[in-house]
């Protein structure tokens, strides 16, 4: 009776956990707007009017420009723009404020239909507000308003564009922009004093974005403000931290600073060797800014000052980020939050890409990768089973020692150690292989979570392996016109996961009381609900791993019949012990 009550309680708690998980995810990670064309969003109140600065030349929390809500199409309709045409991105530059506020990635689509490219930069006031600006402080303040003049109509690789503007009496500012074949722009900022009096000038660069469109900051991978400071990658700040502090100044010399999502990155790379400050700032109403402010320079008549700042705006492709790192940007590959096992995860990603090129399908590549990892781990699993078999063989003698010396624990331990030495059995040998496998399978799990290569890749009936399984049972696989909540969005892969995990537990039972056994019987079905909202690619990996585990256990049991016999005996004893309790 007590066991039945405890089992009912366990089921109830599991159900409440599922409800709580879905509610918590919905509260902590609200869904971002799907498209910039859906209508205006709230814009920062502090973006109104012209941004001033403090007396010491520090940028304040505002940005130049009006704060009125803007429609994307209207904002981009202005004639005062320079087009950006590069192999992997396109867009335009707003000459009103020298803002790079229109960037789309031509190689990535917003949806699996592929109609619209991914938009990373969008003008100020639009729902997807995200832009970069290069400018100058003059005598501790921004210059008055005025449009920039461009010497060309198109910015393209091998075709730079220079923007020019007067920023004070006798002061002329130029921003020479160039772009490479991928996602990196370079801004050569120069200000010359042709007047008769001196001035204090400070070049700056900033990235402004809304957090409303940010990807989830999940425990497995950081999303939000980040950079490299003092030669160390900093993942410790999220948007809430910056909002609470108002301004965050990371310690150490800035190597680069910006904002990261799971798949995308916008980052400023200041000039090497130049003294600069870097900050993250909250602007209110879900708007944030990262900025680089170079040290002030007193500009005498007839002199000039130059600074070079790079802007990355694009996809977090591991090989490309590493290439930029090899080119001199410190730890740029760490824009992907690899964690502790980077040394192992990056080779796994390389192997996954090779398998994809070989197989031509990313789902097949995931299955092949899981098989390869399992084959490499097979000797460890074999050693684990051999150790388990040896321990099972001497278990009667171990029980005899425990009974004989139950009043003398020290003597019992000594006799146990003597028995292990005589039989050449290591009681920890069965645990060590399991501990070695944990980081390997966690690394594989993380590679699949982070790999942009999995995004929008199809497999069988699945159109996007980076999205949840679309074949949900409750809406009859899409035949009914509603989408179940995430914790009830059970698909084919989630059901298969529950079944394969249940079979794994049944095939390899361990010594436990009936209540524990019941909990282990429930666990696969609880995990089925928990894992249902995860990416389909991850569930393919998990199911493949479970199926290979079943095959591995079958094979190893055939090699160690004494272990299989002991497991069958345990199962029979438990069933026999449970019968009287069931009748009561």
């Amino acid at each position: 009776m007590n066991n039945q009550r405890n089992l009912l309680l366990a089921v109830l708690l599991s159900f409440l956990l599922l409800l709580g998980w879905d509610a918590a995810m919905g509260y902590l990670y609200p869904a971002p707007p799907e498209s910039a064309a859906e209508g205006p969003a709230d814009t920062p109140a502090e973006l109104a009017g012209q941004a001033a600065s403090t007396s010491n030349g520090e940028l304040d929390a505002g940005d130049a420009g009006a704060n009125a809500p803007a429609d994307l199409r209207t904002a981009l309709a202005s004639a005062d723009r320079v087009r950006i045409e590069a192999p992997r991105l396109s867009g335009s530059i707003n000459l009103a404020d020298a803002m790079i506020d229109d960037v789309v990635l031509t190689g990535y689509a917003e949806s699996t239909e592929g109609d619209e490219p991914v938009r990373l930069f969008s003008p100020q006031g639009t729902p997807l507000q995200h832009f970069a600006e290069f400018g100058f402080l003059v005598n501790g303040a921004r210059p008055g308003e005025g449009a920039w003049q461009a010497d060309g109509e198109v910015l393209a690789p091998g075709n730079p564009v220079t923007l020019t503007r007067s920023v004070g009496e006798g002061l002329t500012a130029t921003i020479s922009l160039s772009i490479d074949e991928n996602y990196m722009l370079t801004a050569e900022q120069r200000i010359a004093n042709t007047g008769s009096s001196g001035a204090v000038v400070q070049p700056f660069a900033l990235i402004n974005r809304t957090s409303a469109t940010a990807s989830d900051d999940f425990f497995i991978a950081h999303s939000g403000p980040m950079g490299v400071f003092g030669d160390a990658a900093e993942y410790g700040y999220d948007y809430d931290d910056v909002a609470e502090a108002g301004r965050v100044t990371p310690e150490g010399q800035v190597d680069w600073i910006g904002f990261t999502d799971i798949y995308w990155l916008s980052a400023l790379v200041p000039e090497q060797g130049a003294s600069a400050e870097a900050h993250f700032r909250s602007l209110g109403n879900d708007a944030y800014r990262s900025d680089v402010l170079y040290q002030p320079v007193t500009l005498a008549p007839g002199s000039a000052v130059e600074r070079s700042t790079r802007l990355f705006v694009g996809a977090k492709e591991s090989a490309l980020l590493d290439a930029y790192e090899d080119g001199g940007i410190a730890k740029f590959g760490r824009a992907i939050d690899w964690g502790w096992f980077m040394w192992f995860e990056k080779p796994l990603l390389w192997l996954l890409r090779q398998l994809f090129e070989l197989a031509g399908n990313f789902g097949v590549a995931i299955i092949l990768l899981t098989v390869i990892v399992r084959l490499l781990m097979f000797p460890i699993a074999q050693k684990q089973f051999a150790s388990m078999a040896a321990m099972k063989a001497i278990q009667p003698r171990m029980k005899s020692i425990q009974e004989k010396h139950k009043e003398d624990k020290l003597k019992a331990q000594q006799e146990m150690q003597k028995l292990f030495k005589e039989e050449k059995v290591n009681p920890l040998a069965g645990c060590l292989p399991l501990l070695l496998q944990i980081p390997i399978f966690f690394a594989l799990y993380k590679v699949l979570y982070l790999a942009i290569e999995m995004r929008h890749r199809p497999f069988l009936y699945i159109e996007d392996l980076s999205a949840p399984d679309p074949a949900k049972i409750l809406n009859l696989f899409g035949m009914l016109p509603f989408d179940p909540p995430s914790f009830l969005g059970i698909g084919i892969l989630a059901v298969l996961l529950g079944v394969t995990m249940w079979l794994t537990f049944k095939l390899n039972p361990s010594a436990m009381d009936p209540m524990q056994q019941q909990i282990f019987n429930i666990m696969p079905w609880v995990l089925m609900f928990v894992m249902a909202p995860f990416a389909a690619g991850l569930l393919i990996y998990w199911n493949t791993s479970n199926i290979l585990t079943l095959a591995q256990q079958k094979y190893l049991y055939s090699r160690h019949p004494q272990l299989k016999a002991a497991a069958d005996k345990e199962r029979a004893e438990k069933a026999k012990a449970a019968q009287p309790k069931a009748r009561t």
Side-chain angles (χ1 to χ4, degrees), residues 10 15 18 86 94 104 108 144 167 185 190 193 232 240 300 353 363 390 434 440 450 461 503 522 535 538 560:
F15 185 71
L18 293 172
N94 185 358
V104 296
Y108 293 93
V167 292
L185 292 89
R190 185 177 190 275
N193 187 355
D240 290 338
R353 287 198 295 259
L434 182 62
I440 293 174
L450 294 172
Y461 65 91
L503 289 174
I522 295 171
L538 294 174
H560 301 280

Side-chain angles (χ1 to χ4, degrees), residues 253-520:
Q253 177 66 31
V254 55
D255 292 302
W256 57 271
I257 184 173
F259 299 101
T260 180
D261 292 293
I262 295 300
Y263 295 136
W264 323 116
L265 173 70
S266 58
L268 297 168
V269 185
E271 181 178 318
Q272 287 188 352
S275 181
E277 293 182 357
H279 311 276
F280 296 113
R281 305 174 193 260
S282 172
L283 308 178
N285 290 346
D286 294 332
Y288 296 85
R289 193 178 79 195
S290 61
D291 55 57
V292 172
L293 181 62
Y294 292 98
Q295 290 299 305
V297 176
T298 301
L299 203 61
S303 62
V305 63
E306 297 182 6
R307 291 290 181 266
S308 177
T309 308
R310 283 180 284 180
L311 168 68
F312 179 92
V313 49
K316 289 164 58 174
E317 300 166 0
S318 178
L320 179 61
L321 296 177
D322 289 344
Y324 282 125
E325 182 174 330
D326 294 339
I329 304 178
K331 290 183 168 54
F332 207 54
R334 295 295 183 93
I336 300 176
D337 185 6
W338 296 110
W340 293 347
F341 303 115
M342 180 180 71
W343 59 273
F344 186 68
E345 291 164 358
K346 294 182 78 170
L348 280 178
L349 179 58
W350 175 86
L351 179 57
L352 185 62
R353 287 198 295 259
Q354 304 308 308
L355 293 172
F356 171 60
E357 291 181 8
L358 177 67
N361 183 278
F362 207 84
V364 175
I366 292 172
I367 294 172
L368 292 176
L369 180 63
T370 311
V371 171
I372 290 172
V373 172
R374 273 290 181 180
L375 287 174
L376 292 175
M377 295 299 297
F378 183 76
I380 297 177
Q382 195 170 24
K383 191 175 289 289
Q384 179 185 6
F385 263 71
S387 176
M388 290 169 60
M391 288 294 293
K392 288 289 185 183
I394 66 171
Q395 199 167 52
R397 295 173 64 185
M398 291 171 59
K399 289 182 178 179
S400 176
I401 291 173
Q402 290 171 344
E403 287 294 328
K404 183 177 179 181
H405 302 286
K406 59 183 177 181
E407 302 298 333
D408 189 347
K409 300 296 183 183
L410 180 59
K411 181 65 175 177
Q413 290 177 1
Q414 291 173 345
E415 291 296 322
M416 285 286 191
Q417 293 300 322
K418 183 179 178 181
L419 174 63
F420 295 152
K421 188 174 182 180
E422 289 176 354
E423 299 295 332
K424 297 181 180 179
V425 172
N426 183 357
L428 298 179
C431 300
L432 185 58
L434 182 62
L435 294 176
L436 290 175
Q437 291 180 64
I438 290 174
I440 293 174
F441 291 117
F442 177 78
L444 182 56
Y445 170 86
K446 192 164 184 177
V447 164
L448 294 177
Y449 183 83
L450 294 172
I452 193 173
E453 290 84 352
M454 191 168 75
R455 184 179 183 269
H456 289 180
R457 298 293 185 184
F459 178 66
L460 300 178
Y461 65 91
I462 300 167
E463 294 183 347
D464 183 4
L465 285 169
S466 68
D469 186 350
K472 296 179 174 60
I473 295 173
L474 285 185
N475 63 6
L476 298 181
F477 310 110
M479 296 177 63
L480 298 179
F482 77 95
D483 193 23
S486 61
F487 79 100
L488 290 178
I490 307 300
I492 295 173
L493 292 174
V495 172
L496 183 60
L497 176 68
V499 171
T500 54
M501 289 194 71
W502 180 78
L503 289 174
T504 302
F505 287 155
K506 292 293 287 184
L507 188 61
N508 189 23
S510 58
M512 60 182 71
D513 61 50
M515 184 59 208
Q516 289 175 317
Q517 187 66 49
Q518 293 291 348
I519 292 175
F520 269 76

Side-chain angles (χ1 to χ4, degrees), residues 126-263:
T126 60
L128 298 180
Q129 175 175 301
H130 196 170
F131 59 86
E133 180 185 358
F134 300 95
F136 304 87
L137 298 181
V138 178
N139 295 326
R142 291 201 194 212
E145 295 183 1
W148 293 76
Q149 303 299 316
D151 67 353
E153 296 182 353
V154 179
L155 172 64
N159 186 48
V161 171
T162 298
L163 312 182
T164 306
R165 183 196 154 192
S166 173
V167 292
E169 187 174 347
L171 296 174
T172 301
T174 60
I175 304 174
S176 297
L177 296 169
S178 58
I179 190 171
D180 68 6
E181 298 288 334
N182 293 296
Y183 306 120
M184 189 71 77
L185 292 89
T186 301
E188 302 285 349
Q189 298 168 259
R190 185 177 190 275
I191 187 165
N193 187 355
T194 59
S196 57
S197 59
V200 178
V201 299
Q202 282 183 276
F204 70 83
L206 62 85
I207 296 173
N208 179 310
R209 73 162 293 170
T210 174
S211 64
T213 57
S215 58
D216 294 347
D217 185 18
F218 202 33
F219 78 94
I220 199 172
H222 175 67
S223 176
M226 79 159 297
V228 169
F229 311 95
D231 202 37
E234 176 58 70
Y235 306 103
Y237 305 116
D238 58 26
Y239 291 109
D240 290 338
D241 295 329
V242 179
E244 182 177 349
R247 184 184 78 173
V248 173
T249 303
E251 296 182 1
Q253 177 66 31
V254 55
D255 292 302
W256 57 271
I257 184 173
F259 299 101
T260 180
D261 292 293
I262 295 300
Y263 295 136

